[in-house]
Amino acid sequence: MSTVIKDEVTYEEFSVRLRGPREVSGDVDMGAPGPLLGDLRPGDVVTVTLWQDYAVAVTKDGRSQETADTPLGEPQLVTAVGSALLSVGAFTAYAGGRVVTGARRYGQRGLPRLLVVHGKVAFGAMLCAVPAMIVGDLAGVPLQAVVWLALLPVVWWFVRRREIRGRGRHAAPALQDR
């Protein structure tokens, strides 16, 4: 086994070259110098934890370090990106359908203000994917989806409240489909 630690301003490499059975032989990117990599020396006997052809952790004398190949956090990120794309896709389908069905009317009077409100709600729904992803990292993907869905009515309420017609002379016009 050989340990490579290159920590330069423009280039970082933290890897370990393992010799053993075919499944664990080769270079493993450790991602960071610690807590174990800096203490490893050539010839040290280590235990490698495998998960679906990925070396996810290296252990020596009870100390362990996750590798850069660990898939932790991937489901949460995929769920967050999916929920953000769902927001964009649903709004685009809704807005496109509204514009196509009312093209003549909207050509004469302009787009309805309600489309702007729905666009703001869709953007807010995209932003809700971030706190939901944080919850997903702590509690798992099912709770992440629940948090995202629970935040959607809050965003809808907030946007509608800000867009509702006020009493001042500079208030936004009433929300209606022109």
Side-chain angles (χ1 to χ4, degrees):
M1 173 183 75
S2 65
T3 305
V4 176
I5 300 176
K6 293 180 183 175
D7 189 6
E8 300 171 8
V9 175
T10 58
Y11 179 75
E12 288 186 340
E13 179 182 351
F14 306 104
S15 64
V16 108
R17 178 166 289 149
L18 301 172
R19 276 188 258 149
R22 190 174 64 100
E23 297 86 23
V24 294
S25 288
D27 290 343
V28 175
D29 183 7
M30 298 299 286
L36 178 66
L37 182 62
D39 295 336
L40 291 177
R41 302 289 171 246
D44 284 349
V45 177
V46 295
T47 303
V48 178
T49 304
L50 293 175
W51 182 79
Q52 295 185 358
D53 297 335
Y54 292 101
V56 296
V58 176
T59 306
K60 179 183 180 259
D61 298 333
R63 290 183 36 214
S64 182
Q65 180 176 342
E66 288 184 351
T67 67
D69 282 342
T70 187
L72 290 176
E74 287 180 11
Q76 290 83 0
L77 180 63
V78 169
T79 303
V81 170
S83 54
L85 291 176
L86 178 66
S87 304
V88 171
F91 170 71
T92 303
Y94 169 78
R98 291 292 303 259
V99 169
V100 167
T101 58
R104 180 178 299 253
R105 184 178 39 183
Y106 298 149
Q108 294 170 349
R109 296 188 223 157
L111 288 174
R113 183 157 174 76
L114 197 56
L115 284 181
V116 173
V117 172
H118 285 291
K120 289 178 181 180
V121 170
F123 183 74
M126 286 174 39
L127 292 179
C128 287
V130 174
M133 185 173 72
I134 293 169
V135 169
D137 281 340
L138 299 173
V141 172
L143 191 58
Q144 177 180 353
V146 169
V147 167
W148 182 72
L149 290 172
L151 287 174
L152 295 182
V154 173
V155 168
W156 176 255
W157 173 83
F158 180 76
V159 170
R160 291 286 292 188
R161 182 172 166 85
R162 299 221 6 122
E163 294 294 325
I164 288 179
R165 183 178 170 149
R167 295 183 179 201
R169 65 180 186 176
H170 298 291
L175 288 177
Q176 58 185 339
D177 207 13
R178 293 189 233 167

